Amino acid sequence: MTDTSAADVKLRACVIGHPVAHSRSPLIHGYWLKTLGIAGAYARADVAEGDFPNFFRHLRSQGYVGANVTVPHKEAAFRLVDARDDAARAIGAVNTVWYEGDRFVGGNTDAYGFIAHLDATLPRWNETTRRAVVLGAGGAARAVIHALLERGVEIAVVNRTQARAQGLAAHFGQRVSVESFLGLPQRLGRADLVVNTTSLGMMGAPPLDLDLVALKPTAIVYDIVYVPLETEFLRAAKQRGHRIVDGLGMLLHQAVPGFARWFGATPRVTAELRSLVESDIRATTGNA
Ligand code: ATR
């Protein structure tokens, strides 16, 4: 089921998903293992939904010190761990697991990845960002909202299915409100940050067609989609002179805490790593 097993390897982790062939986590962790000279391995584990609980609960006896969990298992992982970190509890999903003694612990590093990439790209963003508009109300929106609330930002959520946005506002409390598409231009006029968390703009999906005319010139535009590397939405924002933040950096940064827990060294998101993953995306998707 897994594709890496060297006899001399001491520490092993994996990404569990279904399908999982597209996951770039092995490339990212493999790069860090190699550049940091750590005798470890990071594999892919393609596990169907019915087999997930058994595989997941017996991770350690299969020789793993931990794992990443991806689609469609993040909510099941949340239910199956012994303990959860704050982010996992706020988001309701687990994407990283490790052991603390006998306890099987689940965390969510998406919120960390989102904010760490923003901090790295625009170090002073938080000084001028009071209000954000978040597009979308799925799992990714939960991670983004949790991260922004921790930094004191007020949020308006806009979603095709408004009931889902209302669910998020009820979950996160007063500093998160729901906006309709009708009220969106006015909201954009007051926003310091706009984040796309929907799948619109992703390769194979329709583009995110949002008129940015109402947006303040100083506003930051962040798209968490990373295939293509630069979405139409980001390109349009850049053309209007906005500072933009892309989704690939979030993917790279969200991998840092898991690696540190499993392999005992905190890795860095370098230009070399980024270019390695960019090349892989270009090679496998044929896009720019
Ligand atoms: P994730 O966990 O990655 O956030 P998700 O829970 O499936 O994935 O959420 C996808 C988001 O993209 C949702 O906000 C979804 O809107 P709905 O809640 O109305 O489904 C949004 N989305 C996907 N396709 C869309 C489309 N064609 N038009 C508008 N929004 C879309």
Side-chain angles (χ1 to χ4, degrees), residues 25-230:
S25 294
L27 185 62
I28 298 167
H29 292 286
Y31 167 83
W32 284 331
L33 286 169
K34 194 168 139 210
T35 53
L36 291 168
I38 295 172
Y42 187 97
R44 284 190 172 85
D46 193 332
V47 180
E49 265 171 285
D51 300 328
F52 179 73
N54 194 38
F55 182 91
F56 186 62
R57 288 295 306 180
H58 298 103
L59 210 54
R60 188 179 245 177
S61 60
Q62 299 173 74
Y64 292 113
V65 294
N68 283 126
V69 180
T70 187
V71 179
H73 302 312
K74 291 188 197 183
E75 285 79 20
F78 179 83
R79 292 191 295 272
L80 290 163
V81 289
D82 299 327
R84 299 146 193 93
D85 74 5
D86 286 348
R89 276 200 299 273
I91 298 164
V94 155
N95 75 346
T96 305
V97 290
W98 63 93
Y99 291 89
E100 290 179 12
D102 285 338
R103 276 199 330 166
F104 189 34
V105 185
N108 194 307
T109 63
D110 285 337
Y112 166 83
F114 171 82
I115 228 73
H117 178 44
L118 192 48
D119 285 341
T121 311
L122 303 169
R124 303 182 66 178
W125 73 272
N126 210 179
E127 291 171 21
T128 50
T129 302
R130 297 285 161 267
R131 282 184 282 266
V133 170
V134 170
L135 309 165
R142 281 179 173 251
V144 166
I145 291 169
H146 174 67
L148 289 174
L149 286 176
E150 297 244 292
R151 292 297 186 89
V153 178
E154 267 175 42
I155 296 147
V157 184
V158 183
N159 194 47
R160 174 179 62 180
T161 311
Q162 214 179 65
R164 264 184 117 188
Q166 276 153 356
L168 284 195
H171 174 76
F172 283 106
Q174 288 179 8
R175 282 159 56 222
V176 177
S177 56
V178 179
E179 188 54 85
S180 65
F181 283 99
L182 214 61
L184 187 54
Q186 207 189 6
R187 248 341 149 147
L188 287 175
R190 294 201 303 265
D192 307 299
L193 170 67
V194 180
V195 188
N196 174 43
T197 74
T198 74
S199 45
L200 293 171
M202 213 179 261
M203 205 173 69
L208 169 60
D209 194 12
L210 180 72
D211 192 347
L212 295 175
V213 73
L215 205 55
K216 291 191 280 193
T218 52
I220 299 164
V221 178
Y222 195 148
D223 195 341
I224 72 164
V225 171
Y226 61 89
V227 180
L229 292 162
E230 188 171 275

